[in-house]
Amino acid sequence: MFTKSDDSVNPETLPDLWKKNTAKPSVSFALTKEAVSRSYVGGPSLGPAPVDADGQPMRQLCALYCSELPPLEDFPQKGILRFFLTDNEDLALDSRNPTNQNRFRVLYQEEEALLPGKNPPISAFFPIREQYFLQFSLEAQQPMSVCSWEYHKACSLLNLAEDDDQIIELLEQSFPADGHRIGGYPKFTQDDPRSAKGLQMFDTLLLQLDAKDPVVEIGDCGVLNFFIPKENLKKLDFSEVLYWWDCY
């Protein structure tokens, strides 16, 4: 058993202990020009785009055909999830109220009969400049990343010192949350916004895009996330979603 003493940290057994107690399924994906799926990022909007607070059509970031997903608890297994952003230099983020859907939107529909519109114009700001298809792989068990707001809770349950540099470095190296993913644990370059009061209900990662992939442009090597409360996802209710991005 680990204690809060620095001397108790065993680098050989800590990763297994952490994985056993925090891991949950996640679907990771790569972006490719080959049409290996119908799901894609960038490119034309499927069906009409929602309008933002200024009455302008938003731009589709991702169209996710849920039937193509490897089985993932609580996620729909049919229908289309579409993610939209206002195309501006702030990447549609309202940092004071990241659940305000005036400049972003997540839409779901069970029918898959939507047709793509015209290709959008070239943008200086949008994080995906071209259309790429999603190539999925199931990450059977993804352990918690140290950047998650729940890190301190996990340390407390395992009787670990959350501010122990040795523990943090070992877990960062063992379990990075890099990459594009659906479900599982997110990555942040700064702080997890869900540590703020009233945002901890957003416990499920809907979509993550990571600018470590050179075809994604999010500030200086940033990452972009959408979150939803698990109970809302089960009900296919996307009226409450948290959208966030940050960078170095």
Side-chain angles (χ1 to χ4, degrees):
M1 174 60 69
F2 291 91
T3 69
K4 294 187 179 181
S5 166
D6 291 347
D7 296 335
S8 70
V9 177
N10 186 332
E12 294 183 359
T13 58
L14 177 57
D16 286 341
L17 177 74
W18 190 260
K19 181 176 182 178
K20 179 180 178 181
N21 287 275
T22 69
K24 59 183 179 180
S26 175
V27 170
S28 57
F29 59 89
L31 302 182
T32 175
K33 278 292 190 179
E34 297 180 25
V36 295
S37 68
R38 291 179 294 166
S39 302
Y40 64 92
V41 295
S45 174
L46 280 181
V51 297
D52 63 17
D54 298 321
Q56 298 301 311
M58 299 183 193
R59 187 163 179 158
Q60 184 177 283
L61 176 70
C62 177
L64 178 62
Y65 284 81
C66 300
S67 60
E68 297 178 335
L69 277 176
L72 194 58
E73 185 179 5
D74 302 323
F75 279 76
Q77 292 300 299
K78 61 180 179 179
I80 307 174
L81 263 176
R82 293 177 294 153
F83 299 80
F84 293 89
L85 301 177
T86 289
D87 186 7
N88 63 20
E89 60 184 343
D90 297 322
L91 301 187
L93 180 65
D94 182 347
S95 59
R96 294 184 178 181
N97 184 7
T99 65
N100 178 5
Q101 295 199 43
N102 282 342
R103 300 198 183 281
F104 80 91
R105 200 73 48 82
V106 178
L107 301 178
Y108 173 80
Q109 75 169 55
E110 191 170 315
E111 299 78 20
E112 298 187 353
L114 293 175
L115 296 176
K118 297 180 180 179
N119 280 315
I122 295 174
S123 168
F125 307 118
F126 207 67
I128 305 289
R129 303 297 170 86
E130 300 180 61
Q131 184 175 11
Y132 294 89
F133 296 94
L134 276 56
Q135 187 168 20
F136 299 104
S137 60
L138 178 63
E139 188 172 337
Q141 294 293 320
Q142 182 204 3
M144 182 187 294
S145 58
V146 298
C147 55
S148 171
W149 77 271
E150 297 173 292
Y151 168 74
H152 71 282
K153 293 171 61 177
C155 285
S156 179
L157 288 171
L158 296 174
N159 204 26
L160 297 170
E162 64 181 271
D163 57 352
D164 185 315
D165 290 339
Q166 184 183 0
I167 292 175
I168 293 172
E169 182 178 359
L170 178 58
L171 294 178
E172 281 182 335
Q173 293 176 353
S174 301
F175 306 120
D178 296 347
H180 313 309
R181 70 177 63 250
I182 297 160
Y185 293 102
K187 169 186 174 181
F188 301 100
T189 62
Q190 305 293 329
D191 298 318
D192 188 338
R194 299 173 300 164
S195 61
K197 184 179 179 181
L199 297 182
Q200 294 168 7
M201 61 188 285
F202 294 94
D203 54 1
T204 301
L205 178 62
L206 274 178
L207 178 70
Q208 172 170 294
L209 293 176
D210 187 350
K212 286 191 74 173
D213 183 336
V215 305
V216 179
E217 299 181 31
I218 304 168
D220 182 10
C221 297
V223 62
L224 176 156
N225 312 90
F226 294 85
F227 300 92
I228 190 171
K230 178 186 293 187
E231 294 306 312
N232 288 33
L233 178 59
K234 290 179 179 179
K235 296 183 290 186
L236 302 179
D237 176 3
F238 296 90
S239 60
E240 290 186 282
V241 173
L242 187 157
Y243 163 62
W244 191 259
W245 70 268
D246 63 13
C247 63
Y248 291 103

